[in-house]
Amino acid sequence: MPRPWWNRVGWALHALLRFVLILLMQPYVWSKLTLTQMGRADYSEALVMTGEKSPMGLLWGFMAYSPVIQFLAGFAELVVVLLLVFRRTAWIGGLLGTVALGTVFLLNMTYDVPVKQLALALTVGFALVAAPELPRVVRFLAGRPTVATEGSPRLLPWPRVRRVTRWLVPVLGLVLIAAQGALFQQFQPPFQRSDIALAGVYRVVEDPTAPAARLADDRRWQHVAVGQWTYVGPSLPVPGYPQTGSAGISVRLADSTVVRGTWRPVGDRTIRVEWNAPQSGATSLVEPPSGPPS
């Protein structure tokens, strides 16, 4: 008995949804695999206490502390994307993707990450991909017999054309994933360790400036933390965005204020520092500079 036309349309939309999810997931997959989404834990963050971090900053710092966890998160998303390429494994990718992106959505909600709507939309999309097979999965988990699946209908009635499209679509999907990965590696390279032996956390033991009458007004330096991971990506005209060749730096003042910025070498024994505004409240991931370099 031929299937109704709406059944064919539904499966065509199902295939389209799979490739939309593949496209939307690419930036998150490759940014985690190259350790650029959360970055790496660095000395420059050592002076910022837990209570001074925003919820998102705390989550990013947690993920950045373990490159293995960040990489495995991206690898899991890559496996999900690859499963979506093939029609017979798409439902598995839908199930795994629902769990993975559902977890991301929960983290975004509880740590106040500003892409909550996108994470929810991706979770719903993965659930829709898995939906056709969910009744059989539930019967299997309940220990009840499952019937053989009829599979999706043939969208094209021409056998010779199907012989080509049967392999063409998965090949195009794999080429799309590989091409986006190559482009991301070209335009979003990871951070590199600086070869200058300056990184570390330092305690200021001598300052010629006289102390202020009140500790709350004492602006002398107390600790300095110099980062070791240098940004080697493209420079963007975005306030607070790291520029090529720069690394993080922070200073804890005697009045407990934290000032953060970036540094870069400009000579054999000279560095150029661009300071952000003194921190007030929870720190953000991107802060505009407060004044001229020093």
Side-chain angles (χ1 to χ4, degrees):
M1 178 179 178
R3 299 185 181 184
W5 64 269
W6 53 263
N7 190 278
R8 293 176 179 270
V9 173
W11 280 105
L13 294 176
H14 185 272
L16 178 62
L17 175 61
R18 286 160 43 200
F19 277 85
V20 170
L21 291 173
I22 290 174
L23 287 172
L24 292 177
M25 287 295 296
Q26 292 300 301
Y28 299 100
V29 169
W30 297 110
S31 62
K32 290 186 180 69
L33 289 177
T34 56
L35 305 180
T36 56
Q37 183 175 1
M38 286 86 176
R40 290 175 176 267
D42 205 352
Y43 291 116
S44 57
E45 297 296 319
L47 302 183
V48 183
M49 295 182 289
T50 300
E52 295 173 327
K53 294 179 179 289
S54 66
M56 181 178 176
L58 184 61
L59 175 61
W60 251 236
F62 170 79
M63 293 294 293
Y65 188 80
S66 175
V68 175
I69 294 298
Q70 190 175 170
F71 178 86
L72 290 179
F75 182 77
E77 293 176 352
L78 177 61
V79 170
V80 168
V81 167
L82 291 174
L83 290 173
L84 291 183
V85 172
F86 304 96
R87 179 174 58 84
R88 293 187 178 183
T89 60
W91 68 274
I92 304 177
L95 285 177
L96 296 178
T98 302
V99 175
L101 270 297
T103 303
V104 171
F105 173 68
L106 180 61
L107 290 173
N108 290 352
M109 290 294 293
T110 54
Y111 285 89
D112 196 24
V113 182
V115 286
K116 306 175 183 65
Q117 295 87 347
L118 178 59
L120 178 60
L122 291 173
T123 302
V124 173
F126 279 113
L128 291 176
V129 169
E133 292 290 339
L134 284 181
R136 299 181 70 244
V137 174
V138 172
R139 291 178 65 88
F140 173 78
L141 294 177
R144 301 170 61 185
T146 58
V147 296
T149 180
E150 297 181 3
S152 60
R154 295 174 178 176
L155 303 178
L156 300 176
W158 308 286
R160 292 184 178 179
V161 177
R162 287 201 304 269
R163 292 193 189 103
V164 178
T165 57
R166 177 183 179 184
W167 300 105
L168 180 61
V169 175
V171 169
L172 288 178
L174 293 176
V175 170
L176 178 64
I177 295 172
Q180 289 191 327
L183 288 174
F184 196 90
Q185 285 279 19
Q186 180 179 356
F187 293 105
Q188 291 288 339
F191 286 75
Q192 293 182 358
R193 195 188 301 270
S194 173
D195 56 357
I196 300 178
L198 183 64
V201 180
Y202 302 88
R203 182 169 63 91
V204 179
V205 297
E206 185 177 352
D207 191 332
T209 305
R214 296 192 314 161
L215 183 60
D217 300 326
D218 198 338
R219 307 292 292 178
R220 293 178 303 165
W221 290 17
Q222 190 175 58
H223 292 88
V224 182
V226 183
Q228 64 176 333
W229 291 104
T230 302
Y231 179 69
V232 294
S235 297
L236 299 178
V238 179
Y241 198 85
Q243 301 300 304
T244 301
S246 65
I249 187 172
S250 61
V251 174
R252 172 75 68 172
L253 305 182
D255 65 356
S256 79
T257 301
V258 175
V259 184
R260 303 166 69 189
T262 58
W263 72 274
R264 68 177 66 194
V266 294
D268 293 338
R269 302 179 63 85
T270 308
I271 65 173
R272 179 187 180 93
V273 179
E274 294 185 5
W275 295 109
N276 300 330
Q279 180 174 323
S280 177
T283 179
S284 60
L285 294 181
V286 177
E287 301 178 50
S290 62
S294 60

